[in-house]
Amino acid sequence: MADPTTTQTIDLLVIPAAIVPAEPAGVVLQDHALAVDAGRIVAVLPVAEARLHYAPRETRELPQHALMPGLVNAHTHLAMTLLRGLADDLPLMDWLQNHVWPAEGQHVSRAFCVDGVRLATVESIRGGVTCANDMYFFADATAEVCGAAGLRAAVNLIVIDFPTAWAAGPDEYFAKGIAVHDSVRGNPLLRTMFAPHAPYTVSDGPLRRVRAYADELGIGIHMHVHETAFEVAEAVKQSGQRPWQRLKELGLLGPDFVAVHMTQLSDEEITEAATYGVHVAHCPESNLKLASGFCPVAKLLDAGVNVALGTDGAASNNDLDLFGEMRTAALLAKGVSGSAQAFPAAQALHAATLGGARALGWDAEIGSLVAGKSADFIAVQMNAAHLTPCYNLVSHLVYAVGRGDVSDVWVAGRALMRERRLLTLDETEVLAKAVEWRQRIRN
């Protein structure tokens, strides 16, 4: 906050119709402005005070818009946008083993990942996503593309037992992953997480190494866990143990662990998730499409577990629309729990913003509009027919707003989209590349 007797020069002052800071939850600020300087939020304060105390180099007046934190996609596979719609209406293991893995074996390369991540970045920014937690091969490509586009990203260092185009085996996965980690250190928009794919694709030895390296480097772990009943039943049949129990015994569970999907949970496992401080990345639309099951969100939240939202990859969703995930998650939680009060709008918005940031260990920096945090925020145009009238803005953001209503996006104070025009990517070129890949893959 500026000294009341002086005028402080700042980079940007945004004056919207309303601000939804996400912290405290459910708060809506009318007649307020957001002051930004050097990529950070200087203040959120009444408009009259802002005009008195700040001399902005740029002022954006958005009288038909709401400002809110940028959305955090807590689980995705960005490059898989190039496989969107390749194999639909199939259960998970059939989809993976007979369609996705063969296609990846034939086509995935660094060039595939560069073009796929660029396509995903266009879609993400247009949909108000300012941070993505990306689990895929060629993590160096993800870092390169997201860094150039200005999209914040947790770049995952994938580990899997079998060879892929990225690495021949665990030793090479670790070596390449640590090299990527070293290459992005110091970049404020990029960080890394280890990503052992799933309990059924990573054996005990590599999992122990993941924990040891994560502790040594001070980074998180991100893993598919209990995605389907089949996965759990097969593990019990083969080892006598549920995957969660195995991960617990191997020491993987902790406050730096993000468990994705979690559709098959006992009450004891829910309690343990809270005890260990594990975060859950809930991907409702992918789980529905693959008939994987229902994450017990209401029970997890009641137990004190932090729940974030992810889209999963566009090959199983089939989009990267986090506004859609918010709405689906809120509705699904009500249906599964039998309570219309389960996962209310403010909680869903928290999961898509501050909950995601917390899962990635980035909540001190992003996820809410608070002075001192990075200026990662979006403007949502609220004067469309499907948004009129508006009685409760937070409710509207979850149940009525669509990603097409996002007009402007900033990350670390840098505008990535202005009045629906992308500023850091050539969309025409990106789409042309995607069409080329369709021809190649289809043939």
Side-chain angles (χ1 to χ4, degrees):
M1 181 75 179
D3 184 318
T5 63
T6 64
T7 300
Q8 179 183 347
T9 300
I10 60 172
D11 290 333
L12 175 66
L13 187 69
V14 186
I15 305 174
I19 297 176
V20 179
E23 191 179 6
V27 167
V28 176
L29 301 174
Q30 307 282 352
D31 196 31
H32 274 61
L34 185 76
V36 175
D37 192 56
R40 308 197 79 79
I41 299 170
V42 177
V44 180
L45 73 172
V47 173
E49 292 182 26
R51 293 190 188 279
L52 181 64
H53 299 309
Y54 294 110
R57 296 180 181 89
E58 179 188 6
T59 299
R60 290 292 308 280
E61 301 211 19
L62 300 171
Q64 306 295 336
H65 296 68
L67 288 192
M68 62 176 287
L71 303 178
V72 178
N73 191 342
H75 175 69
T76 190
H77 311 287
L78 294 175
M80 293 184 81
T81 49
L82 294 181
L83 301 177
R84 189 194 321 262
L86 181 69
D88 285 338
D89 304 322
L90 297 169
L92 176 65
M93 296 316 295
D94 183 10
W95 178 79
L96 275 176
Q97 293 174 349
N98 299 319
H99 300 275
V100 171
W101 286 344
E104 287 178 330
Q106 188 171 358
H107 297 289
V108 169
S109 63
R110 194 177 193 282
F112 175 98
C113 291
V114 166
D115 292 338
V117 174
R118 280 188 180 140
L119 179 62
T121 302
V122 167
E123 183 177 356
S124 296
I125 293 170
R126 285 207 170 279
V129 172
T130 55
C131 178
N133 184 26
D134 183 49
M135 177 194 283
Y136 208 61
F137 309 109
F138 293 92
D140 59 328
T142 300
E144 174 190 311
V145 173
C146 290
L151 184 71
R152 191 179 297 274
V155 180
N156 283 202
L157 316 177
I158 199 160
V159 177
I160 198 165
D161 280 352
F162 52 79
T164 64
W166 173 236
D171 287 347
E172 191 175 4
Y173 285 111
F174 282 110
K176 285 191 167 182
I178 291 168
V180 171
H181 170 79
D182 289 342
S183 74
V184 304
R185 277 192 302 186
N187 187 324
L189 296 185
L190 301 175
R191 60 175 49 188
T192 57
M193 296 184 78
F194 275 109
H197 172 260
Y200 56 88
T201 55
V202 189
S203 53
D204 287 1
L207 287 178
R208 290 191 184 95
R209 291 176 69 184
V210 164
R211 170 43 72 199
Y213 279 127
D215 290 344
E216 180 183 337
L217 299 176
I219 63 177
I221 302 170
H222 173 215
M223 187 179 194
H224 301 102
V225 181
H226 284 212
E227 184 171 0
T228 66
F230 176 80
E231 169 198 339
V232 176
E234 281 296 293
V236 171
K237 185 166 70 175
Q238 292 172 16
S239 69
Q241 263 187 333
R242 289 166 66 86
W244 178 267
Q245 177 68 22
R246 174 174 162 238
L247 297 178
K248 182 174 67 172
E249 291 183 4
L250 289 170
L252 263 73
L253 305 184
D256 59 355
F257 189 87
V258 181
V260 186
H261 300 305
M262 297 280 273
T263 71
Q264 313 293 319
L265 294 176
S266 66
D267 289 344
E268 181 183 1
E269 288 164 345
I270 291 171
T271 299
E272 288 180 344
T275 300
Y276 282 96
V278 167
H279 308 271
V280 172
H282 176 35
C283 304
E285 293 187 4
S286 175
N287 294 156
L288 285 168
K289 185 166 182 282
L290 294 168
S292 296
F294 307 119
C295 178
V297 170
K299 286 186 174 183
L300 287 164
L301 290 169
D302 286 346
V305 176
N306 177 51
V307 175
L309 290 181
T311 59
D312 211 349
S316 65
N317 186 303
N318 293 9
D319 57 40
L320 304 178
D321 180 0
L322 213 59
F323 276 101
E325 298 294 335
M326 269 198 291
R327 184 173 189 271
T328 300
L331 297 179
L332 187 63
K334 299 173 196 314
V336 170
S337 68
S339 169
Q341 295 178 304
F343 211 37
Q347 223 164 25
L349 187 70
H350 177 278
T353 54
L354 194 55
R358 188 165 294 151
L360 304 183
W362 237 328
D363 50 311
E365 188 75 2
I366 63 171
S368 59
L369 303 184
V370 175
K373 284 193 172 186
S374 180
D376 292 21
F377 64 101
I378 64 177
V380 181
Q381 192 166 351
M382 298 297 298
N383 61 337
H386 65 281
L387 301 176
T388 306
C390 179
Y391 300 106
N392 183 317
L393 180 53
V394 173
S395 175
H396 252 32
L397 290 172
V398 174
Y399 295 120
V401 163
R403 60 178 171 173
D405 298 313
V406 177
S407 66
D408 296 75
V409 175
W410 291 263
V411 172
R414 178 189 184 189
L416 306 189
M417 184 168 74
R418 183 185 178 106
E419 296 175 354
R420 296 186 173 83
R421 182 171 62 87
L422 294 176
L423 303 179
T424 62
L425 289 148
D426 184 336
E427 188 169 5
T428 300
E429 179 185 346
V430 169
L431 296 180
K433 283 284 189 182
V435 171
E436 288 178 16
W437 279 104
R438 183 198 64 181
Q439 292 295 104
R440 194 176 310 175
I441 293 168
R442 187 171 62 180
N443 290 338

